[in-house]
Amino acid sequence: MAQPARSEPQPLSRQEQRTAASRQALLDAAIRVLEDVGYHDATISMIVRAARRARGTFYVHFSSKEEIYAALLTQMRHRLHESSRAIWDSHQPLLSLRKSIDLYVQSFTDDHALWLVLDGASVISAQYQRERSALRAALTTDIRKGIASAGNTRLTGLDPDLVSTILAAMLEETCATFLLYGNELSPDMITDHTTALWGRILAYEPTAN
């Protein structure tokens, strides 16, 4: 049976373009405010002033400070997931693993302020708890797909879903422990050691030259 042709996405109207631009301006401003004063001291007034938008415009898009920062965390999650998918090459699992881990580790520098929000505010915010769980789930899914595509592993007798969950938690907690509050380890050291450790666990072999 023939599949129905997919319709091409329709271009946004001028009003839709203005609405999208206004929302993005608020998101960009929220990041700047977060980096300047931290989550606790950030206010909606600061955000709209930095975005050069009216306060009422904020409430067209977001209901609270919590919601706009949750939206930024969602953006970060999608960005990491899409970048990781683009990197992965099943014919070079160890190299792909290194690139994927480095991407995630580097995010703790590039998106440092957002990771601080996630690490601190998720203790008291159900919305941030959901964002943290979704980010962990996305990382777990990427690891699981990598294991499946690489094929040759030493996981006989182990649940690959549970292994993926444990490895995801290991990477997240390692980065949070050593990069969020003092840079006790360099990002390169974390990437090197995590790649070597996971490579041995998953039996990923270096690609022959």
Side-chain angles (χ1 to χ4, degrees):
M1 181 177 178
Q3 296 293 322
R6 294 185 179 180
S7 60
E8 292 294 325
Q10 296 298 310
L12 297 177
S13 68
R14 288 185 179 179
Q15 179 57 47
E16 289 171 332
Q17 290 175 9
R18 285 194 293 269
T19 299
S22 183
R23 184 178 190 275
Q24 190 58 51
L26 289 165
L27 289 167
D28 293 342
I31 279 289
R32 296 196 299 273
V33 170
L34 181 66
E35 291 173 345
D36 287 344
V37 303
Y39 182 75
H40 178 74
D41 292 328
T43 65
I44 291 172
S45 294
M46 290 179 180
I47 293 169
V48 297
R49 189 162 55 247
R52 297 183 178 181
R53 295 296 192 277
R55 189 179 183 89
T57 302
F58 180 93
Y59 291 105
V60 171
H61 301 284
F62 308 102
S63 64
S64 63
K65 180 178 83 169
E66 182 181 43
E67 186 172 320
I68 193 171
Y69 285 111
L72 285 163
L73 289 167
T74 299
Q75 281 190 349
M76 181 180 75
R77 168 163 50 87
H78 290 319
R79 187 167 61 248
L80 283 170
H81 180 61
E82 291 303 316
S83 297
S84 181
R85 286 180 58 191
I87 284 171
W88 189 264
D89 179 354
S90 61
H91 300 294
Q92 302 185 79
L94 190 62
L95 178 60
S96 298
L97 177 65
R98 180 180 187 82
K99 290 180 178 179
S100 296
I101 290 173
D102 186 62
L103 177 76
Y104 190 87
V105 172
Q106 188 60 42
S107 175
F108 275 77
T109 297
D110 296 341
D111 302 305
H112 189 262
L114 284 174
W115 281 107
L116 283 173
V117 171
L118 199 62
D119 191 61
S122 63
V123 176
I124 59 174
S125 166
Q127 188 163 14
Y128 293 150
Q129 287 172 8
R130 289 192 294 271
E131 286 298 328
R132 186 167 194 166
S133 295
L135 200 150
R136 175 81 60 84
L139 178 59
T140 299
T141 297
D142 289 341
I143 295 170
R144 180 67 182 88
K145 288 180 178 178
I147 290 172
S149 69
N152 181 27
T153 72
R154 299 190 182 101
L155 298 184
T156 303
L158 298 177
D159 181 344
D161 293 324
L162 180 56
V163 171
S164 301
T165 302
I166 291 170
L167 292 178
M170 178 193 302
L171 180 56
E172 180 187 334
E173 291 303 321
T174 298
C175 290
T177 299
F178 296 112
L179 297 178
L180 278 188
Y181 301 103
N183 293 326
E184 297 177 48
L185 295 177
S186 71
D188 287 345
M189 186 177 292
I190 293 174
T191 296
D192 289 344
H193 281 69
T194 306
T195 301
L197 179 61
W198 287 18
R200 293 172 189 176
I201 293 172
L202 302 173
Y204 290 170
E205 299 296 334
T207 303
N209 294 327

